[in-house]
Amino acid sequence: MTVGFVMLCHTALDRAAQVARHWAERDCPVVIHVDRRVAAKPYAQLVADLADLPNVRFSGRHACEWGTWGIVAASQEAATVMLRDFAQVRHVFLASGSCLPLRPVEELRAYLNERPKTDFIESVTTEDVGWTVGGLDYERFTLRFPFSWRKQKWWFDTYVKLQRKVGFRRKIPAELVPHLGSQWWCLTRQTLSAILEHPERATIDRYFQKVWIPDESYFQTLVRQVSSTVESRSLTLSKFDFQGKPHIFYDDHLQLLRRSDCFVARKIWPDAVKLYGAFLSEDRSRQAVAEPNPGKIDRLFAKAVERRVKGRPGLYMQSRFPNENHENGRTAGPYSVFCGFAEVFETFEIWLSKASGTRVHGHLFAPDRVHFAGGETIYNGALSDNAKLRDYNPKSFLTSLIWNTRGERQCFQYGPADTQDLNWFMALDGNAQISVISGAWAVPLFHSNRNFGEIRREAARLQQVEQEFLNILRGPYTKARVRVWSLADFVENPMEPLQTIIDEIGPRQARRLTEAPRLIDLTGFGQFLQNLRNQGMQPVLMGDFPVGDDPAARSPRRGRPYLVK
Amino acid sequence: MTGPVQSLLAAMSSAGRAYALRTRRRRNLWRAFRSRHALRVVKDRSGTIGPGDILCFMSVRNEALRLPYFLDHHRKLGVDHFLIVENDSTDGTRALLAAEPDVSLWSTDASYKRARFGLDWVTWLQICHGHGHWCLTLDADELLIYPYWQTRSLPALTGWLADQGLPAMAAMMLDLYPEGPLSQAQSAAGDNPLTVLRWFDAGNYSLRVQERTGNLTIKGGPRARMFFTEDPRRAPTMNKIPLVFWNRRYTYVNSTHDMLPPALNAVYARGGGEQISGLLLHTKFLPEIIAKSAEEKDRKEHFTNSSLYDRYYDAVTADPVLHTAASEPLTSWRRLEALGLMSRGGWI
């Protein structure tokens, strides 16, 4: 007993001839169907190429447009020829002209001989398939589809809508239960002949002629009526991309295809010289007979689809520039923004870097230059510290920085004196952790040696800028993790907020802060604020600092260590 | 109030924009048609072009150093025929090209700048020969690479693009530079310039969408950070669309950065996914750039407002070091993809 191949061909006929010859010479009869739209000359060439083989037949030609009845008609006719002309055939294997056998024919024959009654055909009820393209699953069977989906898209869609509106439903004949599945099957003589000689075949054929994509449902549905042992999987390795188009295999897939242990794969790139050379010359078994296992390589295909559809979060490049809110992650990873901390603590950056084990930058958006960690002038990815370059496109600057340093959390200082272009961007970014000590910008002014009139003007400006930033952060759309303390509240008890922030940055470390950063001297700050008030400016963001009650005098250098669970 | 009046106005303004772009495209085509007089045939082998052949178009001036490797590289990828306009060369470029069996050569002495930086000439050749072919439009200092380029030929790529319904593919320029001063990176004609130009900037690019034509504008790389810190707006544009299934009604607008009709500029995904893209390895910074910069500063043929670029030419003439501690060495395309500079966009 042997297996016969039905081949549906429409392009690359030389490759089809090569594969047909391979099978025919190994005592597997082949029936070839060539698409009617193929010109006479190449067809005649194919016939001539295979003329010396006694067990190759050509069947009557149908036009096989994608998703139409022609493909089923072609399969039916070719299968009829196969069953009629080759009595020794027990299994019929439906293949295409771009299929390639991956394992020796002997192994396939042995595999099928061990399972003489089994039909290998993917056959799934419409409720269970997740892969239908175009959103039509059960409606494939209840609506009529006289228009081509590819060439008459508008008519196709409109006619579907019209039928839905009118409530039109076709009756499914002969008590069929619709099933769907891969077009490529391998059926036993008994099953196939029962389908082809079905008493109601004329009715069934007429019905399926107006079903959408009947090649994925005709045999898949009928097999359930006539077969006793359906193994619902295809012996052909065939993978589809997100548009439902088959993946093509190239020379560099050689190892991948070997690993799959499948018997036949499609589609093969016609110029894949190495693949054709390697697989068509292999007759000896490489190892013990293995079950076909396309699952081994599934992950690769799933990843490719994901890359195409979702992309890499936080990456902006020539292939990917998502519209706002379609980013699937505005930035590539979590990062922390500190407002006012460097103003309140001495050497805060060094302390934070030690305590959290992250990369801590100064004011990245300072007006003079980018203050990268360690005073670098060129940072990862060759980012420049030039302020004009950064301000030319601050969003690209920040997203590039986070992308270039993926795997290492970035922290940076920010404040109202910096470029404010990214306030909205960061507020809407779920990766941002923004911690603000409001009003802390007043501390450097307090320590500065400038004229008071100048200080007053600058304080008014910075307060307004920070107020706007806080308004954005408090808005309903904010996705960043935002914490805001007033300066007065913060210096009252600095350890608890710090512990919270550090825990959130590195939850696994979960260690207690032993060393606190040193608070800057605030003696006289209350008086400074009072002076501002006396000059007509109203400092509000720093909270309540009574004159004379200096926090520095009250709180010790080391705040009470506090563990937040 | 967003009433019918507003929506009508919006529709009219978008129709007006579309019409303006159409007019611009037709003007470009007309200019290309007029420019045919400037072209003199040196060697026309275009009769050997078969259906389905992949064609490469360009205009060159004094590129005898780069062309041998350029032709070799793209021939290996699967370019079947090169159609080249040679402009005012003095270094034997013309003889070199005329002797190649798969090159059709035209020559002109007309102004490069007034021919829209050579685009008028190239567009004319594309009107005549490009229709219905996958066409590459390159400069002599650009080497195209794409995902799997070492194992899959251009026909495999274009076949896949056609299957996916994509009429064009993006490929950003990637400026390559040597480790030391530019003058150190000596490379002879026919040598692989990538052996001396081994470094690039991996992650300092600025991206923006041009709302009018829908194309991206990418700026950045070593030229931006070294020479255009005072005026980043004038830094060179890096994104290009070099590979297109050509129609005789198409035109490039500004080098190969953007195209008309504007739908062709949608070579990137806007919904969060990634579309396939390649890279143009830019071998501009071979030592001869130093002498060339001094010359181009006088010729004023390369920018609309050339005097604004004097500083740039001066800086390059001073033989700078572009390499930094954060530069990335050129290795495989998989590394370039992992860095986010190109993408396989679902191609397995």
Side-chain angles (χ1 to χ4, degrees), chain B residues 3 16-17 23 46 49 54 84 94 116-117 128-129 156 161 184 188-189 221 223 226 235 258 271 278 288 297 341 344:
Chain B
R17 254 198 318 271
T23 310
S46 59
I49 297 173
I54 293 177
I84 302 176
R94 190 181 310 176
R116 285 200 305 133
F117 307 102
C128 295
H129 303 288
L161 290 171
Q184 307 283 299
R223 281 183 283 170
M226 293 287 293
D258 47 348
E288 54 143 30
K297 187 182 168 187
L341 290 164
R344 71 188 84 180

Side-chain angles (χ1 to χ4, degrees), chain A residues 293-542:
Chain A
N293 189 358
K296 276 189 206 164
I297 58 172
D298 273 349
R299 216 173 81 86
L300 185 86
F301 293 92
K303 268 174 74 176
V305 171
E306 181 169 320
R307 170 73 53 97
R308 175 66 189 86
V309 178
K310 287 189 166 170
R312 289 168 277 183
L315 175 63
Y316 299 79
M317 45 106 62
Q318 55 168 339
S319 297
R320 179 177 204 270
F321 195 80
N323 290 334
E324 185 132 18
N325 301 323
H326 287 78
E327 291 98 344
N328 174 28
R330 291 186 160 224
T331 45
Y335 59 98
S336 303
V337 184
F338 291 91
C339 306
F341 287 71
E343 283 74 13
V344 170
F345 294 111
E346 291 171 14
T347 64
F348 172 73
E349 291 162 32
I350 297 169
W351 175 85
L352 177 64
S353 177
K354 265 196 223 159
S356 65
T358 57
R359 190 57 56 108
V360 183
H361 302 279
H363 284 263
L364 285 184
F365 293 93
D368 58 336
R369 57 179 281 264
V370 182
H371 296 254
F372 285 122
E376 301 278 356
T377 54
I378 289 278
Y379 206 68
N380 291 19
L383 271 177
S384 164
D385 71 337
N386 184 282
K388 282 187 177 164
L389 280 181
R390 176 200 64 201
D391 293 342
Y392 174 66
N393 195 334
K395 180 182 148 188
S396 282
F397 172 82
L398 181 65
T399 53
S400 295
L401 176 71
I402 304 297
W403 171 259
N404 294 345
T405 57
R406 22 192 216 293
E408 179 194 51
R409 189 181 184 113
Q410 306 292 305
C411 303
F412 61 90
Q413 319 303 321
Y414 191 65
D418 296 341
T419 305
Q420 299 288 307
D421 297 3
L422 288 186
N423 289 353
W424 270 112
F425 181 81
M426 293 194 292
L428 298 184
D429 183 4
N431 282 323
Q433 178 202 39
I434 306 177
S435 311
V436 185
I437 304 175
S438 69
W441 42 264
V443 178
L445 287 180
F446 163 56
H447 285 291
S448 75
N449 184 30
R450 291 158 79 178
N451 292 334
F452 200 77
E454 213 178 295
I455 289 180
R456 197 200 75 92
R457 261 199 311 280
E458 183 66 0
R461 185 181 79 85
L462 295 180
Q463 173 156 276
Q464 196 184 356
V465 172
E466 186 165 83
Q467 187 65 62
E468 275 169 31
F469 183 42
L470 292 175
N471 289 344
I472 292 172
L473 293 182
R474 287 175 179 141
Y477 305 110
T478 296
K479 293 204 181 70
R481 294 171 147 266
V482 176
R483 291 192 181 82
V484 182
W485 302 269
S486 72
L487 180 60
D489 286 350
F490 190 85
V491 295
E492 189 83 3
N493 177 17
M495 281 314 275
E496 186 178 328
L498 283 180
Q499 182 77 58
T500 315
I501 295 168
I502 299 282
D503 285 346
E504 197 175 286
I505 290 177
R508 265 165 300 168
Q509 299 176 348
R511 51 172 191 204
R512 218 174 80 169
L513 291 175
T514 49
E515 191 193 348
R518 213 154 59 139
L519 268 178
I520 225 157
D521 182 21
L522 288 175
T523 316
F525 188 66
Q527 186 59 51
F528 170 75
L529 295 183
Q530 185 56 46
N531 291 348
L532 282 175
R533 277 190 206 100
N534 295 347
Q535 294 277 326
M537 190 235 157
Q538 185 66 276
V540 290
L541 294 176
M542 42 292 282

Side-chain angles (χ1 to χ4, degrees), chain B residues 9-286:
Chain B
L9 283 176
M12 277 169 67
S13 91
S14 92
R17 254 198 318 271
Y19 189 74
L21 290 176
R22 179 169 183 266
T23 310
R24 191 157 161 203
R25 178 171 61 82
R26 293 164 69 98
R27 196 178 60 223
N28 287 348
L29 288 170
W30 175 247
R31 290 182 59 124
F33 178 67
R34 297 275 302 157
S35 81
R36 76 195 187 283
H37 297 301
L39 298 178
R40 201 165 42 78
V41 181
V42 179
K43 197 84 203 178
D44 187 351
R45 301 185 178 96
S46 59
T48 61
I49 297 173
D53 276 5
I54 293 177
L55 311 179
C56 176
F57 293 87
M58 62 176 175
S59 60
V60 297
R61 176 173 182 276
N62 285 349
E63 293 288 3
L65 176 66
R66 290 190 179 86
L67 279 170
Y69 189 80
F70 173 94
L71 294 172
D72 197 39
H73 175 86
H74 293 101
R75 228 173 245 149
K76 275 187 199 151
L77 290 185
V79 171
D80 296 292
H81 202 83
F82 298 85
L83 299 104
I84 302 176
V85 178
E86 178 277 318
N87 174 217
D88 200 19
S89 293
T90 53
D91 69 344
T93 296
R94 190 181 310 176
L96 184 156
L97 287 173
E100 298 286 343
D102 52 358
V103 170
S104 291
L105 185 64
W106 287 260
S107 178
T108 180
D109 300 328
S111 163
Y112 176 73
K113 184 172 168 177
R114 267 181 288 158
R116 285 200 305 133
F117 307 102
L119 274 184
D120 285 345
W121 308 325
V122 165
T123 306
W124 173 243
L125 294 186
Q126 283 165 334
I127 291 171
C128 295
H129 303 288
H131 187 79
H133 290 273
W134 281 92
C135 292
L136 263 178
T137 309
L138 298 172
D139 287 338
D141 58 2
E142 295 169 343
L143 301 172
L144 174 74
I145 65 167
Y146 48 84
Y148 312 100
W149 66 280
Q150 281 129 327
T151 48
R152 300 184 198 172
S153 62
L154 268 175
L157 173 68
T158 54
W160 183 80
L161 290 171
D163 273 355
Q164 296 284 310
L166 300 173
M169 186 187 82
M172 182 178 91
M173 282 198 288
L174 188 68
D175 284 353
L176 301 175
Y177 46 83
E179 192 155 2
L182 298 183
S183 59
Q184 307 283 299
Q186 293 298 337
S187 172
D191 285 359
N192 180 355
L194 304 183
T195 53
V196 287
L197 303 177
R198 287 193 49 240
W199 300 87
F200 62 91
D201 285 10
N204 57 7
Y205 299 93
S206 136
L207 286 91
R208 241 174 253 270
V209 174
Q210 300 295 322
E211 288 306 334
R212 210 162 70 98
T213 45
N215 63 297
L216 279 180
T217 300
I218 304 180
K219 291 179 186 273
R223 281 183 283 170
R225 80 176 146 79
M226 293 287 293
F227 310 127
F228 293 91
T229 49
E230 281 309 303
D231 195 357
R233 210 166 44 87
R234 296 205 180 275
T237 304
M238 309 302 280
N239 54 297
K240 288 201 165 182
I241 310 175
L243 181 62
V244 179
F245 186 68
W246 203 263
N247 182 297
R248 61 172 75 85
R249 304 299 296 169
Y250 293 172
T251 75
Y252 284 112
V253 179
N254 175 13
S255 178
T256 56
H257 302 308
D258 47 348
M259 295 196 72
L260 290 174
L264 293 167
N265 294 321
V267 286
Y268 59 98
R270 298 190 79 155
E274 291 179 29
Q275 263 187 37
I276 190 168
S277 60
L279 285 171
L280 298 173
L281 301 180
H282 200 205
T283 63
K284 189 184 187 69
F285 292 109
L286 287 175

Side-chain angles (χ1 to χ4, degrees), chain A residues 139-145 160 163-164 168 170 210:
Chain A
E139 281 180 326
R140 288 176 181 213
F141 299 97
T142 57
L143 303 183
R144 295 169 66 89
F145 297 90
V160 166
Q163 292 177 81
R164 280 179 186 160
F168 175 80
R170 294 178 78 189
K210 292 288 176 289

